[in-house]
Every structure is written in structure tokens, then in C-alpha cells.
Amino acid sequence: MIVWLNGAFGAGKTAAARELVELLPDSNLFDPGLIGAGLRALLPRKRLDEVPDCQGLPAWRRLVVDTAAAVHGEVGGTLVVPMTLLRQEYRDEVFGGLAARRIPVRHVFLEVGETIRRERAARRGETGGTSGDGGAAVCGAAAGDRYPRPVRHPAAGQRVPDWLRADAHTVDATFLTPRQTAEKVAEAIRAGEGACDIVQTPEPTAETVAAGVLLFDEADRVLLVDPTYKPGWEFPGGVVEPGEPPARAGLREVAEELGLRLDTVLRLLVVDWEPPRPPGYGGLRLLFDGGRLTTAAARDLLLPGSELRGWRFATEREAAAMLPPVRMKRLRWALRARERGVTLNLEAGTPVGV
């Protein structure tokens, strides 16, 4: 198990984490700040300058998951991780990656009054701070770094997003000592609080075939869903199982994800070959036209909480701000294929043979 202590800079996560490992049997401290420090030493300054902190580096997020899984496999028990995660897409990627490795996560948010956080931040600014409390993922320079430059910590008064309060178990640590905070967290963990119910999607080990289904409302807006286990919005659908026809896989996924049983024959819009990009293996991505949903049918959609947190209909323009670029390119060509009544063959999101 992993106990992830979240909270804004100055919330006292690292101090509480050190106390927590004394209270939870068979537990160890895991500091992702060490990964950030390693990336500062390994990556060129030009790349580090492109992101405000190390969490913006895909390599950091992958290494946190892979290293935590490796350490957990080595020592077992519980890993206590003090680290600020204020962006939901980063939470989805990291927690989803851990779930795929069958490592359950308990998410605890330490709430501390803004005045106290600002006072702590000011003191830490004078002393240089510790790596685990907000500054752990900062890609600035520490003493001895080959590229000295200012460290940019998250602001002490930074607003805590609403999704985080809903996702994590909250402990008000405003007037608590680190030991008292750890005791509150340990009590919550023993009571089963903070459990993140995330679908366990195994990491692919080879190329895959995935089938997505585009569903439209009466205004021809497309239905998008928000997964809990990976960043960015997505189309309903999933990986085609061995021996399963892709169109049938699309129907199955729509039923599983939305509680909707389509009685229509799916029409293939695009076949897109996705090239392998480590750590991914790529494969074929198919998008089918699932037709229009009535207002009543849309109102009755049911989402599995462990897999999807929300859905909405979006125009093409709105979708461009919601989907990762590779999925948006696929959607654009699927919409053109739907308009023209054709099927398009894509390679890396670009039509070929047209």
C-alpha cells in the first residue's frame, strides 16, 4: 500500500510522514524529491527551463510510478509518500500507474490555515527547505547543482482545487504537531479512509488494438468521458480482448462504461496506426460511429466510479481543449469521415492512401 500525503507547500507533509512511518507497522518513507534531484542532474538546462517544476516532466511522473513500484516490491509493506499533487491529470497518471501495478493508494490531504502555511514558507525560504514538502518536485537548483538558478516553489497561498478535497481524506493539521498529525492520519488509514478506487488497467506488454465509440447528442456534439486512471478526456471504449471482434468490443465497452446497450450496428470511421513511443507500444486505434443519443438516454448514463468520474457532450472546438493532441487529431478525421460517409486510414493521426 502507498499512503500519499498531499497538501500545499508548508502543510508539514514531510515532518508528518517521518512520524507516520513510526506509527504504521512495516512502513518506509519514499521521497519523490530524490527523483526530481536526479532529473536536475541528468537533463539539460534547456529542458528544465521549459517546465515550472519536475512534475511537468513526463519522465518524472513515469519514474515516480516505476521507482515506487520497484521499492514496494523490494521492501513490501507501506510506502509513505509526502508530495504535493495539485493537478488532477498528474494525480490520474501517477495513481493510475500504481493501480495498474496492483498497488493500492490511500490519499490523505493535510489542511493547514493559509497564515500558518505562509509563515512556514517564509521560514523555509530562509533555510532552503526540505525536499519532500512541495519543493520535492521543483526543478530548480540546489547547492552543488551544475545549473544554479532560483527554485520556484508553489505559492504558500495557492488555492487548493475542489477535486483534491473530494478525492482525498482531509486531516485538519492547522494546530497539530507533526506527531499529532501523523496520529490522525494513522487513525484514518486504519479506518479505511482515503482509499482510491481506481480501475486496474494492466500496462501493455505489446501492441494493442483499441476500439472507441463516438456518440452524439441531438446537436451533433460528441460524448467525452473523464477517466480516473489516466490524464485527459477520452472516448468511450477500450482495448479489444484476444479473439474479440473490434465492433463488439466497442459495444461491450459502452455497456460497461456507460450502462448503455446500443442496438445499432457500429460504422467504422477511422483506423489509426499509433506508433510505439516508449514506454507505450502503440498499435491500432479504431473509432466507430455509435449514432445519436436521445436526451432521455443521455440522462440515464451510469458511470463506474472506479474508472470514469464524469462525462459531457462537446463541440469540436471544445473537444480541442479537453483531449490530448493525439486523440484530437483522431477525432477531427473521424468527424470528417462521418460527414463524408467514408472510412479513413490514418498513420499517426494523418490520412494515407487518400
Side-chain angles (χ1 to χ4, degrees), residues 8-91:
F9 178 54
K13 298 182 294 298
T14 299
R18 290 178 180 138
E19 298 285 348
L20 187 59
V21 296
E22 297 182 5
L23 298 175
L24 295 180
D26 195 23
S27 63
N28 292 278
L29 185 68
F30 176 77
D31 183 4
L34 299 176
I35 297 173
L39 287 173
R40 287 205 309 269
L42 293 170
L43 294 178
R45 179 172 181 174
K46 178 181 179 181
R47 178 61 182 130
L48 296 176
D49 283 336
E50 293 173 349
V51 295
D53 59 64
C54 281
Q55 292 188 8
L57 295 168
W60 182 87
R61 303 191 296 275
R62 290 199 299 268
L63 285 171
V64 167
V65 173
D66 291 342
T67 309
V71 172
H72 188 270
E74 190 75 25
V75 301
T78 298
L79 295 185
V80 178
V81 183
M83 172 56 61
T84 298
L85 267 184
L86 297 184
R87 295 189 61 165
Q88 192 174 45
E89 61 268 33
Y90 294 170
R91 173 269 186 212

Side-chain angles (χ1 to χ4, degrees), residues 121 200 225 233 260 270 303 312 334:
Q200 296 181 344
V225 293
W233 289 68
L260 181 65
V270 298
L303 300 182
R312 60 165 291 188

Side-chain angles (χ1 to χ4, degrees), residues 22 167 262 285 335:
E22 297 182 5
D167 189 75
L262 300 178
R285 310 291 178 248
L335 294 178

